[in-house]
Amino acid sequence: MFEVESVSYTLRFNKQKLKTIEMTTKSSVMGEMVKNGGALSMQLLEALFTFGLVKEKGLVAVPQTEAAEIYDKVVETNGFMSVTNAVITKLQEDMGFMFR
């Protein structure tokens, strides 16, 4: 999904990660998407990205500090909306029940 410094990363979501993100950001992911017509705030996008980021090889979770640095690089390289679309697409794949 993303490559930074020759390392491939992807996003993985599950119910527990989503609960952690909502507790941390004090906002509902689905509520924000509905309220904002599919757009995410910068804070929520960063939280989803950093909590969901894993290395593709072995699906090893990336530590939060490192994930935040990668987030900055990916947003600067690909653009905010591109990253938003990637996060929402991955949420739909991993947590499809939320979108039915």
Side-chain angles (χ1 to χ4, degrees):
M1 181 174 275
F2 304 105
E3 188 170 312
V4 177
E5 297 175 5
S6 300
V7 178
S8 295
Y9 298 93
T10 192
L11 299 167
R12 301 271 302 212
F13 296 105
N14 59 41
K15 290 178 188 176
Q16 189 56 49
K17 278 187 187 181
L18 200 60
K19 287 178 186 178
T20 301
I21 291 164
E22 289 184 339
M23 199 170 18
T24 302
T25 62
K26 296 180 177 39
S27 64
S28 163
V29 172
M30 287 305 293
E32 289 295 314
M33 284 194 288
V34 169
K35 181 174 77 173
N36 298 320
L40 301 172
S41 69
M42 182 73 85
Q43 175 189 0
L44 186 54
L45 180 63
E46 183 173 7
L48 284 162
F49 186 95
T50 58
F51 279 97
L53 193 66
V54 296
K55 291 182 180 178
E56 277 190 355
K57 187 173 184 171
L59 299 176
V60 178
V62 177
Q64 291 289 279
T65 306
E66 183 182 346
E69 292 171 8
I70 292 168
Y71 168 78
D72 288 338
K73 290 176 185 175
V74 169
V75 168
E76 288 178 25
T77 302
N78 299 295
F80 183 82
M81 287 309 296
S82 177
V83 176
T84 298
N85 290 335
V87 167
I88 290 173
T89 298
K90 196 63 175 137
L91 275 170
Q92 289 172 328
E93 289 174 11
D94 293 351
M95 312 265 305
F97 68 91
M98 291 175 48
F99 297 87
R100 287 185 233 141

